[in-house]
Amino acid sequence: MKKVGFFRSIQLKFIIIYILLLLIAVQVIGSYVAKEVEAELLDNFKDSVNDRVELLSINLQQAFNKDRTGDESEPSLQQEVQDIVTDVDRGGFTTIQVINSQGRVLGTNDFLNQDIVGQKITEPIVQQSLKLHSSLDNTLLNSKTGDRIFVRVEPILNEDENIEGVIYIQTSLEGVYGQLQNINDIFLNGSVLALIVSAVLGILVARAITKPIIEMRRQAQVMATGDFSKKVNVHGTDEISQLAETFNDLNDRLRLSMATIQEEQRKLSSVLSNMTEGVIATDQAGEVSLMNDAAGRLLGASPERFIGEDLLDLLELDERIVDITDLQDSGSIIIDFSEEDNVFLVRANFSTIFDENHAVIGFITVLSDVTEEEKVEQERREFVSNVSHELRTPLTTLRSYLEALTEGAWTDKEIAPQFLAVTQNETERMIRMVNSLLQLSRMDNKELSLHREKTEFIRYFHEVIDRFEMNVSENITLRRELPNLRYYVWMDKDRMTQVLDNIISNAIKYSPDGGNIRFKVEKQIRQIIVSISDEGLGIAYDKLDKVFDRFYRVDKARTRKVGGTGLGLAISRELVEAHYGKIWARSVEGKGTTIFFTLPLMNEKRRGSK
């Protein structure tokens, strides 16, 4: 977060507001005080002038009303008026003139302008006062000096209230306004000082107000990093302090909330990490925002690589689903990621995420590897089909022969025994098939019990071969390539005999006339490898692993001819693996097939104890 400069800070705003309010207050107060002081000074000045005019008017009124005898020693009216005007204190007065009723100047106190005496005055205010017999005053601006002056005209009345003349007074107001200016200067200096003090106090007050706010801002920055250990200092009990307390309470609540969220995130992360199913979260546009490791393994890359990619492109669904919103109705989809030699099927389950307004904000996709499930399901279907087919063939034969016997063939002494022999053979074939299926079922359910015993395998193997050698055709040769050694194994003789019978029987069935069947036993570390080879037609390389599947036949036409249920090698594999061994096949088309299986050897300690 960028640091706020002083000129953009709330602290400067507080100071400016504080000073502006003070300036407005000072301006209002100053204007009011200046106006009132000016009025008061002018009133006082006019009162002083009026007092002097009143005194001067009394003296002049006596002079005008005085009876004169005409004696030469007696002063004339003009001389007496001049003497009265001259004796008046000129303090504060600029000009005093006494004018008779005809408008002529009888006397003046202006020693430099004595020539005006005897001249007629045409001042409008003087003429107006003479006509109205009333006092007049006015404030004017001296056109020569530019000073403000106060003019007053006071009439002089005789005893009969007839006007004898007027007193014309002209005095400067600059003294009054100078005094007012001094007062304003004092007020201005005081205002400036008050402003300076107020600015200092404003800074202190602003800092006091903004300090908790700055602390809360710093704490908010610390909280943004995930650190909730610090708190804002609370000073006082005002609104800012209450805000600081609320902020601290918010800090505690956020700390608890973040701890809860982090705990839930750890749980969710642990769940997602340990899930065997892949989980993909997308936004409403279908862009991947979250993917666990299981989903990355299913898709063959690191989860971070797919963040931001489109879900439909990622799952190769762009041809099946045009719009991402169609996922709401798709439910579950099987996606085929198979390659040429590798079957890989994934089931995708889609669910929609809604907000509080029931608007779609994203999708959750759960991926599961269903390759084995589909394989098992396919094998189940094939198994049911094969069992049905294998049972239908002998049942059809039985029905045909039984229908023939029912229709009268049982009376034919030559045909009836043949038909009965066929029905018996087919019945025994079905019984063998059912027994094999039951045995496989027990193996699948882990219900097969083995009765193991210590067995010397070479001698046991010779006994099994001897039994076949007594019944094998003269056109097939059994060749024994067995070592003259003793190999002890821990096995169930009956179950192992069943394994060998299945393998040797198949070798005899598929061996051509004059063919050889070879029996070998080789010792390896802690185990022996038993191999039985024939010189039959052989098996294609891509079908070798399938010969141990149930009901699988390489050449079905020939198998029908030679008989068999297609379960012998499947049972053999289950029995060998039950003895902790392995079984496999090798073959070259046209040259024959070899079946191998291993059995673990008994260790010396166990062999000695037995």
Side-chain angles (χ1 to χ4, degrees):
M1 185 180 294
K2 294 177 62 177
K3 184 177 180 181
V4 178
F6 175 76
F7 292 101
R8 294 186 178 181
S9 66
I10 191 174
Q11 183 175 349
L12 178 62
K13 294 176 182 177
F14 273 124
I15 296 172
I16 292 174
I17 292 172
Y18 189 79
I19 292 175
L20 286 176
L21 291 175
L22 184 61
L23 279 174
I24 293 172
V26 169
Q27 185 67 25
V28 172
I29 294 173
S31 299
Y32 175 78
V33 170
K35 184 177 181 181
E36 292 297 322
V37 168
E38 180 182 6
E40 185 67 23
L41 288 175
L42 289 175
D43 289 343
N44 291 337
F45 179 80
K46 291 178 180 180
D47 290 342
S48 175
V49 171
N50 291 334
D51 291 342
R52 291 175 180 272
V53 168
E54 184 176 357
L55 179 61
L56 181 60
S57 176
I58 294 172
N59 292 331
L60 290 173
Q61 196 170 22
Q62 291 176 355
F64 273 97
N65 293 328
K66 183 177 179 182
D67 293 330
R68 304 188 183 276
T69 61
D71 188 1
E72 295 181 358
S73 61
E74 184 180 13
S76 65
L77 175 63
Q78 183 176 348
Q79 290 177 345
E80 189 171 354
V81 168
Q82 182 65 43
D83 292 339
I84 293 172
V85 172
T86 303
D87 292 337
V88 174
D89 183 11
R90 297 191 60 191
F93 294 101
T94 301
T95 301
I96 300 176
Q97 294 176 357
V98 178
I99 302 168
N100 61 16
S101 60
Q102 287 77 32
R104 295 183 179 277
V105 177
L106 296 178
T108 180
N109 66 339
D110 188 359
F111 299 106
L112 299 178
N113 195 18
Q114 292 295 321
D115 295 337
I116 197 172
V117 176
Q119 295 182 6
K120 191 173 182 178
I121 298 300
T122 60
E123 289 287 341
I125 192 170
V126 173
Q127 298 300 323
Q128 189 175 6
S129 179
L130 288 173
K131 292 179 181 180
L132 298 177
H133 299 184
S134 62
S135 300
L136 298 177
D137 59 53
N138 194 9
T139 301
L140 303 173
L141 185 66
N142 192 324
S143 59
K144 296 180 180 180
T145 62
D147 294 340
R148 285 161 290 192
I149 57 176
F150 177 72
V151 176
R152 179 176 176 80
V153 179
E154 182 70 21
I156 303 173
L157 303 177
N158 56 23
E159 295 176 353
D160 298 327
E161 298 296 326
N162 293 321
I163 189 166
E164 297 289 341
V166 294
I167 303 172
Y168 176 83
I169 298 176
Q170 177 181 310
T171 181
S172 176
L173 292 175
E174 292 302 316
V176 175
Y177 283 100
Q179 189 177 10
L180 181 62
Q181 183 64 41
N182 292 334
I183 294 173
N184 288 336
D185 290 341
I186 294 172
F187 187 82
L188 177 61
N189 294 333
S191 299
V192 172
L193 179 62
L195 287 175
I196 295 174
V197 175
S198 299
V200 174
L201 292 176
I203 293 173
L204 297 177
V205 172
R207 285 184 178 180
I209 294 174
T210 59
K211 183 178 180 181
I213 298 176
I214 294 173
E215 290 184 3
M216 284 186 280
R217 175 178 174 272
R218 292 174 181 171
Q219 177 61 17
Q221 292 175 334
V222 174
M223 290 167 59
T225 64
D227 184 5
F228 300 95
S229 59
K230 298 181 180 179
K231 290 188 176 182
V232 178
N233 295 323
V234 180
H235 307 283
T237 58
D238 57 6
E239 290 83 352
I240 298 293
S241 300
Q242 292 177 358
L243 177 60
E245 292 179 353
T246 305
F247 193 88
N248 289 333
D249 183 60
L250 175 63
N251 179 73
D252 294 337
R253 292 177 181 271
L254 282 176
R255 177 172 53 81
L256 294 176
S257 299
M258 289 298 297
T260 303
I261 292 173
Q262 290 174 357
E263 183 179 357
E264 294 300 325
Q265 287 179 340
R266 286 193 295 268
K267 290 179 181 178
L268 178 60
S269 177
S270 177
V271 169
L272 291 176
S273 299
N274 293 288
M275 285 182 65
T276 57
E277 292 82 6
V279 177
I280 302 175
T282 60
D283 58 16
Q284 66 272 21
E287 291 187 0
V288 177
S289 58
L290 175 67
M291 179 184 292
N292 67 349
D293 293 335
R297 289 192 295 270
L298 289 174
L299 297 177
S302 172
E304 289 78 10
R305 174 184 171 186
F306 299 112
I307 301 300
E309 291 195 13
D310 186 80
L311 179 66
L312 298 182
D313 295 337
L314 185 63
L315 299 181
E316 300 177 4
L317 296 175
D318 48 343
E319 295 182 358
R320 299 167 62 179
I321 299 177
V322 179
D323 192 350
I324 189 68
T325 56
D326 295 338
L327 291 178
Q328 300 180 62
D329 304 321
S330 58
S332 178
I333 296 177
I334 299 295
I335 306 173
D336 189 357
F337 290 113
S338 302
E339 297 178 355
E340 294 182 359
D341 299 328
N342 185 19
V343 178
F344 184 35
L345 302 175
V346 173
R347 177 184 287 113
N349 293 296
F350 304 100
S351 59
T352 308
I353 305 174
F354 300 94
D355 61 10
E356 63 275 7
N357 298 321
H358 302 287
V360 177
I361 60 174
F363 301 92
I364 295 294
T365 304
V366 179
L367 304 179
S368 304
D369 184 357
V370 294
T371 304
E372 293 301 324
E373 295 179 15
E374 291 297 319
K375 285 183 178 179
V376 170
E377 181 64 20
Q378 181 64 26
E379 290 176 355
R380 184 191 66 79
R381 290 192 292 267
E382 291 179 356
F383 177 76
V384 172
S385 176
N386 289 331
V387 170
S388 302
H389 184 76
E390 293 295 335
L391 289 176
R392 184 178 61 184
T393 300
L395 287 173
T396 302
T397 303
L398 284 172
R399 186 178 64 179
S400 299
Y401 280 92
L402 289 174
E403 287 177 352
L405 291 171
T406 302
E407 291 174 357
W410 64 275
T411 59
D412 191 330
K413 295 183 179 180
E414 294 182 0
I415 297 177
Q418 296 177 5
F419 282 14
L420 290 174
V422 171
T423 57
Q424 183 177 0
N425 290 335
E426 292 298 324
T427 302
E428 291 175 354
R429 179 183 171 189
M430 285 192 295
I431 292 173
R432 289 195 303 272
M433 183 185 301
V434 172
N435 288 335
S436 298
L437 290 173
L438 291 174
Q439 186 175 4
L440 285 171
S441 178
R442 287 195 296 270
M443 292 178 182
D444 292 338
N445 295 325
K446 309 299 181 182
E447 296 177 358
L448 179 65
S449 59
L450 298 178
H451 302 285
R452 303 171 189 259
E453 58 180 313
K454 178 182 177 182
T455 304
E456 201 286 300
F457 189 80
I458 300 299
R459 184 174 63 185
Y460 160 76
F461 200 11
H462 279 296
E463 293 174 357
V464 174
I465 298 171
D466 290 342
R467 179 163 50 81
F468 277 93
E469 200 168 32
M470 294 176 61
N471 300 315
V472 75
S473 171
E474 295 179 356
N475 297 326
I476 298 176
T477 304
L478 303 182
R479 297 185 179 277
R480 311 184 194 198
E481 300 177 7
L482 306 178
N484 189 19
L485 297 171
R486 293 184 177 182
Y487 299 140
Y488 291 93
V489 295
W490 188 251
M491 71 179 189
D492 185 328
K493 285 186 178 182
D494 293 337
R495 301 299 183 186
M496 191 54 59
T497 299
Q498 187 177 358
V499 172
L500 292 172
D501 285 352
N502 288 331
I503 298 173
I504 296 172
S505 297
N506 284 339
I508 294 173
K509 288 177 185 178
Y510 294 102
S511 290
D513 291 339
N516 296 317
I517 298 177
R518 290 180 171 82
F519 304 93
K520 291 183 180 181
V521 175
E522 297 178 1
K523 180 183 178 184
Q524 288 188 345
I525 300 174
R526 297 181 182 178
Q527 67 179 7
I528 58 173
I529 299 179
V530 182
S531 61
I532 300 171
S533 306
D534 62 49
E535 296 177 348
L537 296 176
I539 306 171
Y541 179 77
D542 59 343
K543 298 178 180 179
L544 279 176
D545 290 338
K546 297 180 180 180
V547 297
F548 298 100
D549 293 343
R550 300 172 188 186
F551 294 108
Y552 181 80
R553 292 184 176 87
V554 179
D555 186 349
K556 295 185 178 181
R558 189 179 180 208
T559 302
R560 301 289 181 207
K561 183 177 179 181
V562 299
T565 62
L567 298 173
L569 288 180
I571 294 174
S572 299
R573 181 177 63 181
E574 299 291 340
L575 291 174
V576 169
E577 291 177 354
H579 283 81
Y580 308 107
K582 296 181 180 179
I583 188 169
W584 69 95
R586 290 179 183 171
S587 181
V588 179
E589 289 187 89
K591 293 185 179 181
T593 302
T594 302
I595 303 295
F596 300 88
F597 68 88
T598 63
L599 289 173
L601 288 169
M602 294 179 62
N603 56 43
E604 295 294 334
K605 183 176 180 180
R606 185 169 185 180
R607 192 187 307 170
S609 64
K610 294 294 182 181

